[in-house]
Amino acid sequence: MAISTKLEMRQSQSLVMTPQLMQAIKLLQMSNLDLVAYVEAELERNPLLEKGETDSAPDGGEDTSGQDQGSGDSNGQTDPNDWMQSDLETGSEAIASRMDTDLSNVFPDEPGVPASPDPALLKAGDSYKNATSGAASEDYNLEAFVAEETSLGASLEEQMHLALSDEADKLIAGHLINSLDENGYLFTDLQEAADMLGVDLERVESVLSVVQTFEPAGVFARNLAECLKLQLVDKNRFDPAMEALIENIELLAKRDLQALRKICGVDDEDLMDMVAEIRALDPKPGSVFGASLVQPVVPDVFVRPANDGTWAVELNSDNLPKVLVNQTYYARVIKTARNATEKEYLIDSLQTANWLAKSLDQRARTILKVSSEIVRQQDGFLTYGISHLRPLNLKTVADAISMHESTVSRVTSNKFMATPRGIYELKYFFSSAISATVGGDAHSAESVRHRIKQMIDAEDPKAILSDDTIVKILKDDGVDIARRTVAKYREAMKIGSSVQRRREKNSRV
């Protein structure tokens, strides 16, 4: 057969990842904080987008703002081609009314606008209202005068100036302060520090001994044992028995209390008192300063009991950013476009704005749809607790709501659900299955872990449960599980072995 070239026409279908589709996928997997930041950036970049506070016009009159709304939780969406039907005359009137806005209060230096008083000129007891000879400004914010949080370094530098007078010693102490990690530990080599600063090692060690007395007790330690020692010295509790315990701290981690009693030369009661003192110490003394701000978990979905005995699932509307697409402004400025480039920019901005509004709405609908199916699947958990958590995977939810597994995976990432039993990440409800011994329904791995913890917490100190015993009990209850799986779950929950638990519980008796 001869080889030749020819033209053929074939018809096929394929999914093209357009920028709009990529944007929708990106929004779907964002957390609420990331979503708010993204929308804020789009509001600054796109002149046709405005931030919306409510879904409807204010009471007492018709909405004359000339804006079509597209929000993350509204049903109506603007069509990217709606601008073609815009009334240009109405748009001109709306823009004209916006241009008539009084700008006299924009600049504080304009005549007739009282300037903010200089804080240095305020006498003790004078209020802002009295200083301005009128009502207090609505923009006056007391939070602007709240002192900022003190960092670990700032606190130590303040103590350094009080404890040290020699400038060279202060330079050494400053270097040591800058070498601390966020927990207050010093991991720099003293000899290297001495060479860098051009001083003797003895002088660096002398300064170190001074700064190790700073608050909080335990800072500038080079390991955990030294950190605990510094705190015990500060409490005047570092006696020979405690020193022996600190030097053999690894035995305490292994719960080998019998060996510790011999090393420290104390009886059981004294040893337990010493262990209690050690546990009361702070292994990370520097973490109380300058810690990163802990953001509270804001749920994306609320689940509440309904009157008919089912569960009501609703989105957290306060968590959904709302945007407005200003069609009227577009209709006004498109008439003034001077060339094709400006016109193309305006059309692209409008399409982007409409796509963002549509993507926010689709994201909200998808989250609600996936959450509702999770609630339906895990009704037993919501009603009776974790022991009734069912095994669940992404495919089960995806098939039930006719979506792809990847979509469900993106929805459940960084999203939280508030239930009567607490706030859980959506991924928490997806747990692998552990088969039953005789035919019955499979068991959730999370519920099995919970049962293992319950059994260990309730065990008799004189009859500690081994992993083999736990396996036998679970199999008698219909859970087919291997010993290595029990050991894996136990270690994941930070629970010691039967030998370690026996030593610990016997020492408490």
Side-chain angles (χ1 to χ4, degrees):
M1 182 177 179
I3 299 177
S4 61
T5 59
K6 60 181 179 179
L7 295 176
E8 290 184 353
M9 182 177 295
R10 295 181 180 180
Q11 185 176 6
S12 62
Q13 292 181 342
S14 61
L15 180 63
V16 179
M17 292 290 289
T18 63
Q20 291 83 359
L21 180 58
M22 294 176 63
Q23 179 195 55
I25 294 175
K26 181 180 179 181
L27 294 179
L28 194 60
Q29 60 189 5
M30 282 185 178
S31 65
N32 50 20
L33 295 177
D34 293 337
L35 180 65
V36 170
Y38 178 83
V39 172
E40 290 292 341
E42 287 296 313
L43 288 170
E44 294 181 2
R45 188 186 68 84
N46 196 324
L48 301 183
L49 276 177
E50 293 184 2
K51 190 173 183 179
E53 298 296 337
T54 58
D55 294 336
S56 58
D59 296 334
E62 296 180 1
D63 185 10
T64 58
S65 63
Q67 297 169 340
D68 292 336
Q69 180 174 352
S71 70
D73 60 347
S74 62
N75 293 332
Q77 292 300 318
T78 54
D79 190 337
N81 297 320
D82 283 349
W83 61 271
M84 299 181 66
Q85 289 92 24
S86 299
D87 189 338
L88 299 184
E89 293 298 327
T90 304
S92 300
E93 295 175 1
I95 296 299
S97 64
R98 294 162 68 98
M99 296 297 291
D100 291 338
T101 303
D102 184 12
L103 301 179
S104 60
N105 292 328
V106 172
F107 304 100
D109 294 332
E110 288 292 324
V113 181
S116 301
D118 188 349
L121 301 179
L122 289 176
K123 298 179 180 179
D126 286 349
S127 65
Y128 181 80
K129 178 178 179 181
N130 295 333
T132 55
S133 301
S137 171
E138 294 181 358
D139 295 333
Y140 183 67
N141 184 12
L142 287 176
E143 294 182 358
F145 299 92
V146 177
E148 64 178 349
E149 183 180 358
T150 304
S151 65
L152 174 63
S155 175
L156 294 174
E157 287 180 1
E158 184 177 345
Q159 298 176 66
M160 174 190 71
H161 291 296
L162 296 176
L164 300 173
S165 57
D166 188 271
E167 293 300 326
D169 290 342
K170 289 183 179 181
L171 180 63
I172 297 172
H175 177 77
L176 296 178
I177 291 174
N178 294 330
S179 301
L180 294 178
D181 68 358
E182 59 183 5
N183 295 321
Y185 282 85
L186 180 66
F187 291 112
T188 187
D189 184 79
L190 296 185
Q191 184 61 58
E192 292 181 0
D195 295 340
M196 180 184 300
L197 298 173
V199 296
D200 296 332
L201 175 61
E202 290 76 11
R203 188 164 189 177
V204 176
E205 293 176 341
S206 176
V207 173
L208 177 61
S209 64
V210 175
V211 297
Q212 283 183 338
T213 62
F214 290 177
E215 294 291 335
V219 292
F220 294 99
R222 286 157 288 185
N223 50 57
L224 176 60
E226 187 176 21
C227 178
L228 300 178
K229 172 186 175 181
L230 293 173
Q231 296 180 59
L232 291 169
V233 170
D234 182 69
K235 295 176 179 290
N236 196 24
R237 284 291 297 121
F238 192 67
D239 52 29
M242 192 67 78
E243 182 178 5
L245 176 59
I246 294 298
E247 291 176 353
N248 297 273
I249 196 71
E250 68 281 355
L251 295 178
L252 181 60
K254 297 178 181 178
R255 296 182 175 88
D256 193 351
L257 302 182
Q258 184 177 359
L260 283 175
R261 279 195 298 269
K262 295 179 180 179
I263 295 174
C264 298
V266 295
D267 56 20
D268 292 343
E269 183 177 357
D270 289 339
L271 179 62
M272 295 312 300
D273 291 340
M274 293 166 61
V275 172
E277 287 188 55
I278 295 295
R279 289 177 175 171
L281 302 178
D282 188 358
K284 299 178 180 180
S287 61
V288 297
F289 285 93
S292 58
L293 181 63
V294 177
Q295 295 288 349
V297 174
V298 180
D300 299 84
V301 181
F302 291 111
V303 178
R304 301 184 179 92
N307 295 331
D308 58 356
T310 60
W311 298 98
V313 184
E314 61 181 19
L315 292 172
N316 184 0
S317 59
D318 296 335
N319 213 20
L320 298 173
K322 305 172 182 64
V323 295
L324 303 173
V325 182
N326 198 330
Q327 299 277 8
T328 304
Y329 182 66
Y330 170 82
R332 174 69 176 87
V333 297
I334 194 67
K335 295 167 54 177
T336 62
R338 292 172 295 184
N339 50 52
T341 302
E342 293 183 358
K343 187 174 182 180
E344 181 181 356
Y345 168 74
L346 292 172
I347 294 176
D348 180 68
S349 296
L350 181 65
Q351 292 178 345
T352 302
N354 281 302
W355 261 103
L356 177 60
K358 182 178 180 181
S359 298
L360 290 175
D361 180 76
Q362 186 63 37
R363 175 184 183 273
R365 293 173 184 271
T366 305
I367 292 175
L368 183 61
K369 196 171 184 180
V370 172
S371 301
S372 300
E373 179 60 23
I374 291 176
V375 170
R376 191 185 72 84
Q377 294 281 352
Q378 300 293 1
D379 175 73
F381 163 77
L382 296 173
T383 305
Y384 302 106
I386 192 173
S387 59
H388 289 75
L389 187 67
R390 294 180 53 190
L392 186 64
N393 54 38
L394 297 175
K395 188 177 186 306
T396 302
V397 175
D399 292 343
I401 59 179
S402 301
M403 286 186 178
H404 196 272
E405 290 181 49
S406 61
T407 303
V408 177
S409 177
R410 292 187 179 95
V411 170
T412 55
S413 298
N414 303 314
K415 312 295 189 306
F416 294 86
M417 177 186 294
T419 72
R421 298 191 176 277
I423 299 178
Y424 298 91
E425 189 177 7
L426 294 185
K427 283 191 176 296
Y428 171 82
F429 298 99
F430 294 87
S431 178
S432 57
I434 296 179
S435 59
T437 53
V438 184
D441 295 335
H443 302 271
S444 165
E446 188 65 32
S447 64
V448 173
R449 277 193 289 266
H450 179 69
R451 293 179 64 181
I452 293 174
K453 186 176 187 304
Q454 281 185 323
M455 285 190 289
I456 293 177
D457 290 341
E459 66 186 354
D460 190 337
K462 298 180 180 179
I464 299 298
L465 300 176
S466 65
D467 292 344
D468 290 325
T469 305
I470 294 175
V471 169
K472 184 178 183 304
I473 295 174
L474 290 176
K475 286 189 175 181
D476 292 340
D477 291 340
V479 181
D480 187 11
I481 189 171
R483 180 187 179 279
R484 63 179 179 274
T485 305
V486 171
K488 180 180 70 174
Y489 289 170
R490 176 177 51 74
E491 292 172 358
M493 293 185 289
K494 309 289 186 188
I495 298 175
S497 64
S498 58
V499 176
Q500 293 173 331
R501 299 200 308 274
R502 183 178 293 108
R503 288 175 179 171
E504 182 179 0
K505 293 188 177 183
N506 288 337
S507 64
R508 298 176 182 175
V509 178

PDB file of all heavy atoms in Angstrom, residues 355-381:
ATOM      1  N   TRP A 355     -18.938  37.116  34.901  1.00  0.00           N
ATOM      2  CA  TRP A 355     -18.476  35.763  35.190  1.00  0.00           C
ATOM      3  C   TRP A 355     -18.176  35.591  36.677  1.00  0.00           C
ATOM      4  O   TRP A 355     -18.447  34.539  37.252  1.00  0.00           O
ATOM      5  CB  TRP A 355     -17.233  35.450  34.350  1.00  0.00           C
ATOM      6  CG  TRP A 355     -17.548  34.654  33.124  1.00  0.00           C
ATOM      7  CD1 TRP A 355     -17.625  35.091  31.846  1.00  0.00           C
ATOM      8  CD2 TRP A 355     -17.866  33.270  33.090  1.00  0.00           C
ATOM      9  NE1 TRP A 355     -17.971  34.076  31.005  1.00  0.00           N
ATOM     10  CE2 TRP A 355     -18.120  32.927  31.743  1.00  0.00           C
ATOM     11  CE3 TRP A 355     -17.966  32.267  34.049  1.00  0.00           C
ATOM     12  CZ2 TRP A 355     -18.458  31.649  31.337  1.00  0.00           C
ATOM     13  CZ3 TRP A 355     -18.299  30.988  33.646  1.00  0.00           C
ATOM     14  CH2 TRP A 355     -18.542  30.687  32.316  1.00  0.00           C
ATOM     15  N   LEU A 356     -17.630  36.621  37.305  1.00  0.00           N
ATOM     16  CA  LEU A 356     -17.357  36.534  38.732  1.00  0.00           C
ATOM     17  C   LEU A 356     -18.652  36.388  39.517  1.00  0.00           C
ATOM     18  O   LEU A 356     -18.752  35.562  40.436  1.00  0.00           O
ATOM     19  CB  LEU A 356     -16.593  37.775  39.199  1.00  0.00           C
ATOM     20  CG  LEU A 356     -16.291  37.844  40.704  1.00  0.00           C
ATOM     21  CD1 LEU A 356     -15.451  36.645  41.130  1.00  0.00           C
ATOM     22  CD2 LEU A 356     -15.590  39.144  41.052  1.00  0.00           C
ATOM     23  N   ALA A 357     -19.659  37.193  39.151  1.00  0.00           N
ATOM     24  CA  ALA A 357     -20.947  37.090  39.837  1.00  0.00           C
ATOM     25  C   ALA A 357     -21.560  35.709  39.645  1.00  0.00           C
ATOM     26  O   ALA A 357     -22.085  35.099  40.585  1.00  0.00           O
ATOM     27  CB  ALA A 357     -21.898  38.171  39.321  1.00  0.00           C
ATOM     28  N   LYS A 358     -21.469  35.203  38.419  1.00  0.00           N
ATOM     29  CA  LYS A 358     -22.024  33.879  38.143  1.00  0.00           C
ATOM     30  C   LYS A 358     -21.249  32.788  38.868  1.00  0.00           C
ATOM     31  O   LYS A 358     -21.840  31.833  39.405  1.00  0.00           O
ATOM     32  CB  LYS A 358     -22.004  33.613  36.637  1.00  0.00           C
ATOM     33  CG  LYS A 358     -22.612  32.283  36.235  1.00  0.00           C
ATOM     34  CD  LYS A 358     -22.612  32.112  34.727  1.00  0.00           C
ATOM     35  CE  LYS A 358     -23.220  30.770  34.340  1.00  0.00           C
ATOM     36  NZ  LYS A 358     -23.209  30.578  32.859  1.00  0.00           N
ATOM     37  N   SER A 359     -19.926  32.922  38.946  1.00  0.00           N
ATOM     38  CA  SER A 359     -19.104  31.920  39.621  1.00  0.00           C
ATOM     39  C   SER A 359     -19.375  31.893  41.117  1.00  0.00           C
ATOM     40  O   SER A 359     -19.407  30.830  41.734  1.00  0.00           O
ATOM     41  CB  SER A 359     -17.621  32.205  39.363  1.00  0.00           C
ATOM     42  OG  SER A 359     -17.324  32.126  37.983  1.00  0.00           O
ATOM     43  N   LEU A 360     -19.572  33.078  41.725  1.00  0.00           N
ATOM     44  CA  LEU A 360     -19.888  33.134  43.144  1.00  0.00           C
ATOM     45  C   LEU A 360     -21.222  32.452  43.435  1.00  0.00           C
ATOM     46  O   LEU A 360     -21.373  31.729  44.422  1.00  0.00           O
ATOM     47  CB  LEU A 360     -19.920  34.583  43.628  1.00  0.00           C
ATOM     48  CG  LEU A 360     -18.572  35.315  43.683  1.00  0.00           C
ATOM     49  CD1 LEU A 360     -18.782  36.781  44.057  1.00  0.00           C
ATOM     50  CD2 LEU A 360     -17.638  34.646  44.669  1.00  0.00           C
ATOM     51  N   ASP A 361     -22.193  32.692  42.550  1.00  0.00           N
ATOM     52  CA  ASP A 361     -23.493  32.063  42.744  1.00  0.00           C
ATOM     53  C   ASP A 361     -23.407  30.549  42.573  1.00  0.00           C
ATOM     54  O   ASP A 361     -23.971  29.788  43.364  1.00  0.00           O
ATOM     55  CB  ASP A 361     -24.489  32.653  41.742  1.00  0.00           C
ATOM     56  CG  ASP A 361     -25.867  32.040  41.874  1.00  0.00           C
ATOM     57  OD1 ASP A 361     -26.586  32.398  42.828  1.00  0.00           O
ATOM     58  OD2 ASP A 361     -26.225  31.178  41.041  1.00  0.00           O
ATOM     59  N   GLN A 362     -22.662  30.110  41.546  1.00  0.00           N
ATOM     60  CA  GLN A 362     -22.520  28.672  41.316  1.00  0.00           C
ATOM     61  C   GLN A 362     -21.759  28.016  42.452  1.00  0.00           C
ATOM     62  O   GLN A 362     -22.073  26.887  42.865  1.00  0.00           O
ATOM     63  CB  GLN A 362     -21.789  28.444  39.988  1.00  0.00           C
ATOM     64  CG  GLN A 362     -21.702  26.984  39.569  1.00  0.00           C
ATOM     65  CD  GLN A 362     -23.071  26.373  39.317  1.00  0.00           C
ATOM     66  OE1 GLN A 362     -23.958  27.041  38.802  1.00  0.00           O
ATOM     67  NE2 GLN A 362     -23.242  25.110  39.687  1.00  0.00           N
ATOM     68  N   ARG A 363     -20.744  28.700  42.991  1.00  0.00           N
ATOM     69  CA  ARG A 363     -19.997  28.162  44.124  1.00  0.00           C
ATOM     70  C   ARG A 363     -20.909  27.948  45.320  1.00  0.00           C
ATOM     71  O   ARG A 363     -20.865  26.904  45.988  1.00  0.00           O
ATOM     72  CB  ARG A 363     -18.865  29.120  44.493  1.00  0.00           C
ATOM     73  CG  ARG A 363     -18.071  28.731  45.730  1.00  0.00           C
ATOM     74  CD  ARG A 363     -17.035  29.796  46.051  1.00  0.00           C
ATOM     75  NE  ARG A 363     -16.216  29.420  47.190  1.00  0.00           N
ATOM     76  CZ  ARG A 363     -16.540  29.668  48.445  1.00  0.00           C
ATOM     77  NH1 ARG A 363     -17.671  30.295  48.732  1.00  0.00           N
ATOM     78  NH2 ARG A 363     -15.723  29.284  49.428  1.00  0.00           N
ATOM     79  N   ALA A 364     -21.757  28.931  45.614  1.00  0.00           N
ATOM     80  CA  ALA A 364     -22.666  28.811  46.751  1.00  0.00           C
ATOM     81  C   ALA A 364     -23.640  27.654  46.559  1.00  0.00           C
ATOM     82  O   ALA A 364     -23.904  26.878  47.488  1.00  0.00           O
ATOM     83  CB  ALA A 364     -23.426  30.121  46.946  1.00  0.00           C
ATOM     84  N   ARG A 365     -24.181  27.522  45.348  1.00  0.00           N
ATOM     85  CA  ARG A 365     -25.131  26.437  45.079  1.00  0.00           C
ATOM     86  C   ARG A 365     -24.454  25.068  45.207  1.00  0.00           C
ATOM     87  O   ARG A 365     -25.057  24.117  45.731  1.00  0.00           O
ATOM     88  CB  ARG A 365     -25.722  26.604  43.676  1.00  0.00           C
ATOM     89  CG  ARG A 365     -26.617  27.827  43.510  1.00  0.00           C
ATOM     90  CD  ARG A 365     -27.008  28.012  42.042  1.00  0.00           C
ATOM     91  NE  ARG A 365     -27.782  29.207  41.842  1.00  0.00           N
ATOM     92  CZ  ARG A 365     -29.106  29.273  41.937  1.00  0.00           C
ATOM     93  NH1 ARG A 365     -29.787  28.185  42.238  1.00  0.00           N
ATOM     94  NH2 ARG A 365     -29.745  30.414  41.738  1.00  0.00           N
ATOM     95  N   THR A 366     -23.225  24.966  44.731  1.00  0.00           N
ATOM     96  CA  THR A 366     -22.523  23.680  44.783  1.00  0.00           C
ATOM     97  C   THR A 366     -22.211  23.289  46.222  1.00  0.00           C
ATOM     98  O   THR A 366     -22.358  22.126  46.613  1.00  0.00           O
ATOM     99  CB  THR A 366     -21.231  23.757  43.955  1.00  0.00           C
ATOM    100  OG1 THR A 366     -21.542  24.188  42.628  1.00  0.00           O
ATOM    101  CG2 THR A 366     -20.555  22.405  43.890  1.00  0.00           C
ATOM    102  N   ILE A 367     -21.747  24.261  47.030  1.00  0.00           N
ATOM    103  CA  ILE A 367     -21.466  23.973  48.437  1.00  0.00           C
ATOM    104  C   ILE A 367     -22.724  23.500  49.147  1.00  0.00           C
ATOM    105  O   ILE A 367     -22.703  22.534  49.931  1.00  0.00           O
ATOM    106  CB  ILE A 367     -20.886  25.221  49.130  1.00  0.00           C
ATOM    107  CG1 ILE A 367     -19.492  25.534  48.580  1.00  0.00           C
ATOM    108  CG2 ILE A 367     -20.812  25.018  50.643  1.00  0.00           C
ATOM    109  CD1 ILE A 367     -18.890  26.813  49.130  1.00  0.00           C
ATOM    110  N   LEU A 368     -23.841  24.166  48.882  1.00  0.00           N
ATOM    111  CA  LEU A 368     -25.104  23.776  49.523  1.00  0.00           C
ATOM    112  C   LEU A 368     -25.539  22.386  49.083  1.00  0.00           C
ATOM    113  O   LEU A 368     -26.015  21.578  49.891  1.00  0.00           O
ATOM    114  CB  LEU A 368     -26.188  24.806  49.187  1.00  0.00           C
ATOM    115  CG  LEU A 368     -27.556  24.585  49.828  1.00  0.00           C
ATOM    116  CD1 LEU A 368     -27.447  24.616  51.347  1.00  0.00           C
ATOM    117  CD2 LEU A 368     -28.553  25.621  49.345  1.00  0.00           C
ATOM    118  N   LYS A 369     -25.348  22.071  47.807  1.00  0.00           N
ATOM    119  CA  LYS A 369     -25.766  20.770  47.287  1.00  0.00           C
ATOM    120  C   LYS A 369     -24.931  19.643  47.898  1.00  0.00           C
ATOM    121  O   LYS A 369     -25.474  18.609  48.332  1.00  0.00           O
ATOM    122  CB  LYS A 369     -25.622  20.769  45.762  1.00  0.00           C
ATOM    123  CG  LYS A 369     -26.360  19.643  45.055  1.00  0.00           C
ATOM    124  CD  LYS A 369     -26.335  19.858  43.545  1.00  0.00           C
ATOM    125  CE  LYS A 369     -27.158  18.806  42.829  1.00  0.00           C
ATOM    126  NZ  LYS A 369     -27.146  19.020  41.356  1.00  0.00           N
ATOM    127  N   VAL A 370     -23.619  19.842  47.956  1.00  0.00           N
ATOM    128  CA  VAL A 370     -22.740  18.817  48.528  1.00  0.00           C
ATOM    129  C   VAL A 370     -23.005  18.672  50.024  1.00  0.00           C
ATOM    130  O   VAL A 370     -23.078  17.548  50.555  1.00  0.00           O
ATOM    131  CB  VAL A 370     -21.265  19.169  48.266  1.00  0.00           C
ATOM    132  CG1 VAL A 370     -20.342  18.230  49.024  1.00  0.00           C
ATOM    133  CG2 VAL A 370     -20.962  19.108  46.779  1.00  0.00           C
ATOM    134  N   SER A 371     -23.172  19.773  50.716  1.00  0.00           N
ATOM    135  CA  SER A 371     -23.417  19.725  52.164  1.00  0.00           C
ATOM    136  C   SER A 371     -24.725  19.021  52.476  1.00  0.00           C
ATOM    137  O   SER A 371     -24.809  18.248  53.448  1.00  0.00           O
ATOM    138  CB  SER A 371     -23.419  21.141  52.737  1.00  0.00           C
ATOM    139  OG  SER A 371     -22.195  21.799  52.507  1.00  0.00           O
ATOM    140  N   SER A 372     -25.742  19.271  51.698  1.00  0.00           N
ATOM    141  CA  SER A 372     -27.035  18.618  51.922  1.00  0.00           C
ATOM    142  C   SER A 372     -26.929  17.111  51.764  1.00  0.00           C
ATOM    143  O   SER A 372     -27.526  16.345  52.536  1.00  0.00           O
ATOM    144  CB  SER A 372     -28.087  19.183  50.953  1.00  0.00           C
ATOM    145  OG  SER A 372     -28.258  20.573  51.137  1.00  0.00           O
ATOM    146  N   GLU A 373     -26.152  16.659  50.788  1.00  0.00           N
ATOM    147  CA  GLU A 373     -25.987  15.215  50.596  1.00  0.00           C
ATOM    148  C   GLU A 373     -25.174  14.603  51.733  1.00  0.00           C
ATOM    149  O   GLU A 373     -25.455  13.486  52.174  1.00  0.00           O
ATOM    150  CB  GLU A 373     -25.306  14.947  49.251  1.00  0.00           C
ATOM    151  CG  GLU A 373     -25.067  13.477  48.942  1.00  0.00           C
ATOM    152  CD  GLU A 373     -26.350  12.661  48.902  1.00  0.00           C
ATOM    153  OE1 GLU A 373     -27.429  13.243  48.671  1.00  0.00           O
ATOM    154  OE2 GLU A 373     -26.266  11.429  49.109  1.00  0.00           O
ATOM    155  N   ILE A 374     -24.143  15.332  52.225  1.00  0.00           N
ATOM    156  CA  ILE A 374     -23.367  14.835  53.361  1.00  0.00           C
ATOM    157  C   ILE A 374     -24.260  14.680  54.581  1.00  0.00           C
ATOM    158  O   ILE A 374     -24.184  13.684  55.313  1.00  0.00           O
ATOM    159  CB  ILE A 374     -22.188  15.785  53.658  1.00  0.00           C
ATOM    160  CG1 ILE A 374     -21.159  15.712  52.536  1.00  0.00           C
ATOM    161  CG2 ILE A 374     -21.536  15.442  54.991  1.00  0.00           C
ATOM    162  CD1 ILE A 374     -20.007  16.691  52.697  1.00  0.00           C
ATOM    163  N   VAL A 375     -25.134  15.655  54.823  1.00  0.00           N
ATOM    164  CA  VAL A 375     -26.058  15.577  55.959  1.00  0.00           C
ATOM    165  C   VAL A 375     -26.999  14.399  55.806  1.00  0.00           C
ATOM    166  O   VAL A 375     -27.304  13.689  56.769  1.00  0.00           O
ATOM    167  CB  VAL A 375     -26.835  16.903  56.092  1.00  0.00           C
ATOM    168  CG1 VAL A 375     -27.973  16.765  57.103  1.00  0.00           C
ATOM    169  CG2 VAL A 375     -25.908  18.032  56.511  1.00  0.00           C
ATOM    170  N   ARG A 376     -27.461  14.159  54.580  1.00  0.00           N
ATOM    171  CA  ARG A 376     -28.351  13.014  54.348  1.00  0.00           C
ATOM    172  C   ARG A 376     -27.634  11.698  54.607  1.00  0.00           C
ATOM    173  O   ARG A 376     -28.194  10.780  55.211  1.00  0.00           O
ATOM    174  CB  ARG A 376     -28.885  13.055  52.912  1.00  0.00           C
ATOM    175  CG  ARG A 376     -30.002  12.070  52.644  1.00  0.00           C
ATOM    176  CD  ARG A 376     -30.398  12.084  51.189  1.00  0.00           C
ATOM    177  NE  ARG A 376     -29.377  11.475  50.357  1.00  0.00           N
ATOM    178  CZ  ARG A 376     -29.267  10.168  50.143  1.00  0.00           C
ATOM    179  NH1 ARG A 376     -30.111   9.323  50.729  1.00  0.00           N
ATOM    180  NH2 ARG A 376     -28.315   9.694  49.366  1.00  0.00           N
ATOM    181  N   GLN A 377     -26.368  11.611  54.198  1.00  0.00           N
ATOM    182  CA  GLN A 377     -25.613  10.381  54.378  1.00  0.00           C
ATOM    183  C   GLN A 377     -25.236  10.153  55.849  1.00  0.00           C
ATOM    184  O   GLN A 377     -25.179   9.020  56.313  1.00  0.00           O
ATOM    185  CB  GLN A 377     -24.334  10.428  53.528  1.00  0.00           C
ATOM    186  CG  GLN A 377     -24.576  10.437  52.029  1.00  0.00           C
ATOM    187  CD  GLN A 377     -24.881   9.051  51.484  1.00  0.00           C
ATOM    188  OE1 GLN A 377     -24.775   8.048  52.185  1.00  0.00           O
ATOM    189  NE2 GLN A 377     -25.286   8.998  50.219  1.00  0.00           N
ATOM    190  N   GLN A 378     -24.972  11.240  56.567  1.00  0.00           N
ATOM    191  CA  GLN A 378     -24.496  11.120  57.953  1.00  0.00           C
ATOM    192  C   GLN A 378     -25.575  11.519  58.959  1.00  0.00           C
ATOM    193  O   GLN A 378     -25.276  12.080  60.015  1.00  0.00           O
ATOM    194  CB  GLN A 378     -23.249  11.999  58.148  1.00  0.00           C
ATOM    195  CG  GLN A 378     -22.083  11.644  57.259  1.00  0.00           C
ATOM    196  CD  GLN A 378     -21.493  10.275  57.597  1.00  0.00           C
ATOM    197  OE1 GLN A 378     -21.953   9.574  58.491  1.00  0.00           O
ATOM    198  NE2 GLN A 378     -20.459   9.890  56.862  1.00  0.00           N
ATOM    199  N   ASP A 379     -26.811  11.192  58.664  1.00  0.00           N
ATOM    200  CA  ASP A 379     -27.912  11.501  59.583  1.00  0.00           C
ATOM    201  C   ASP A 379     -27.720  10.814  60.933  1.00  0.00           C
ATOM    202  O   ASP A 379     -28.037  11.379  61.982  1.00  0.00           O
ATOM    203  CB  ASP A 379     -29.243  11.069  58.947  1.00  0.00           C
ATOM    204  CG  ASP A 379     -30.411  11.247  59.900  1.00  0.00           C
ATOM    205  OD1 ASP A 379     -30.816  12.391  60.130  1.00  0.00           O
ATOM    206  OD2 ASP A 379     -30.902  10.222  60.435  1.00  0.00           O
ATOM    207  N   GLY A 380     -27.170   9.604  60.934  1.00  0.00           N
ATOM    208  CA  GLY A 380     -26.954   8.882  62.184  1.00  0.00           C
ATOM    209  C   GLY A 380     -25.963   9.587  63.089  1.00  0.00           C
ATOM    210  O   GLY A 380     -26.135   9.645  64.310  1.00  0.00           O
ATOM    211  N   PHE A 381     -24.909  10.160  62.491  1.00  0.00           N
ATOM    212  CA  PHE A 381     -23.927  10.886  63.294  1.00  0.00           C
ATOM    213  C   PHE A 381     -24.562  12.110  63.941  1.00  0.00           C
ATOM    214  O   PHE A 381     -24.348  12.383  65.128  1.00  0.00           O
ATOM    215  CB  PHE A 381     -22.759  11.311  62.412  1.00  0.00           C
ATOM    216  CG  PHE A 381     -21.901  12.383  63.020  1.00  0.00           C
ATOM    217  CD1 PHE A 381     -20.985  12.080  64.010  1.00  0.00           C
ATOM    218  CD2 PHE A 381     -22.011  13.700  62.597  1.00  0.00           C
ATOM    219  CE1 PHE A 381     -20.196  13.066  64.575  1.00  0.00           C
ATOM    220  CE2 PHE A 381     -21.228  14.691  63.162  1.00  0.00           C
ATOM    221  CZ  PHE A 381     -20.320  14.372  64.145  1.00  0.00           C
TER     222      PHE A 381
END
